[in-house]
Amino acid sequence: MRSSKASTRRHFLTLAGGAATIGAIPVVSLRPAGATPESMAAAIRNVVGTATVQTGRVKLDIPPLVENGNTVPMTVSVTSPMTSSDYVKSIHVFNEKNPQPNLGNFYLTPRAGRAQVSTRIRLADTQKITAIARLSDGSLWSVSTEVVVTLAACTEDVI
Amino acid sequence: MAAALINVPKKAKRGDVIEIKTLISHIMETGYRRTAEGKAIPRDIITNFTCRYNGEEIFRADLFPATAANPFISFFTIATESGKFDFEWIGDNGFSATASATISVE
């Protein structure tokens, strides 16, 4: 009788442990590897190579405090005359903590007249956003901004 | 298939910088979400957007899962001549949508 009690207890503990383990697996897989400051740096290197990136000329308009990360308005503008000899070729936007580090690549021509692009993005966490512009003379300019996100996007509905 | 909304001024003066706004209905499923049963929901996003002005490409964008559902993109161009803007979206699972808008330039 005593042994049966012990076995019941052991049985219960095994079950409880098993349940805990099962419970733990989704918790672990809930968090995808995700973009990290390192993977953002790698994504930026993929675009700019070894060239130096200067700070300035780019303006990143994004609310500093975001309630809903599912749709965040973002405007990137670059100070440029946009003539056929001096224009913005492309704008690349990166993030630190979404599941992957790219937010968008935009390719412009001198016919744009104004180097400005707006879109709506998703943000999974409070993080740093970096925009880099490549000019026709090959120079690269960047700006970074911190965004606080209260409701995360990208991986919701997982629980 | 997919509903697209385009906003281009009907008329413009030659040399004016005009804003073009585009919106297309699309779920933009990130591929990082799971169902209640823990099954991964496969990625289904628009990956490329192109705008041509009388056949010449004036704007192109690469989109990622980080683009919000129903992608909105706005950009600028110089009104050079009367004609047509062609918009094209390409995405996962063979998704493709086109739209166009006309402009008269004085």
Side-chain angles (χ1 to χ4, degrees), chain B residues 8-46:
Chain B
V8 176
K10 282 197 169 61
K11 280 182 185 175
K13 283 204 187 91
R14 195 174 304 276
D16 273 2
V17 175
I18 56 166
E19 184 174 17
I20 298 172
K21 295 178 188 167
T22 69
L23 182 77
I24 184 159
S25 119
H26 194 284
I27 183 170
M28 294 297 279
E29 185 58 61
T30 61
Y32 297 108
R33 301 199 306 159
R34 283 163 189 277
T35 60
E37 292 81 43
K39 236 178 99 199
I41 306 169
R43 190 183 92 158
D44 180 14
I45 65 165
I46 292 175

Side-chain angles (χ1 to χ4, degrees), chain A residues 13 20 27 29 32 46 49 56-57 65 68 72 77 85 103 111-112 119 133-134 147 151:
Chain A
L13 284 177
V27 170
S29 63
N46 274 345
R57 290 188 71 165
L65 179 69
N68 183 352
V72 184
S77 48
S85 57
L103 285 180
R111 295 187 58 178
T119 185
R134 184 192 297 274
V147 183
L151 174 65

Side-chain angles (χ1 to χ4, degrees), chain B residues 23-94:
Chain B
L23 182 77
I24 184 159
S25 119
H26 194 284
I27 183 170
M28 294 297 279
E29 185 58 61
T30 61
Y32 297 108
R33 301 199 306 159
R34 283 163 189 277
T35 60
E37 292 81 43
K39 236 178 99 199
I41 306 169
R43 190 183 92 158
D44 180 14
I45 65 165
I46 292 175
T47 51
N48 292 91
F49 167 75
T50 320
C51 172
R52 290 185 189 83
Y53 186 177
N54 285 342
E56 192 189 332
E57 182 181 300
I58 55 162
F59 181 83
R60 182 161 59 86
D62 298 336
L63 307 186
F64 295 93
T67 307
N70 303 326
F72 165 82
I73 302 174
S74 105
F75 52 95
F76 292 83
T77 193
I78 301 169
T80 51
E81 57 193 343
S82 296
K84 196 169 149 210
F85 290 99
D86 288 300
F87 304 90
E88 188 180 24
W89 294 262
I90 294 171
D92 291 340
N93 308 322

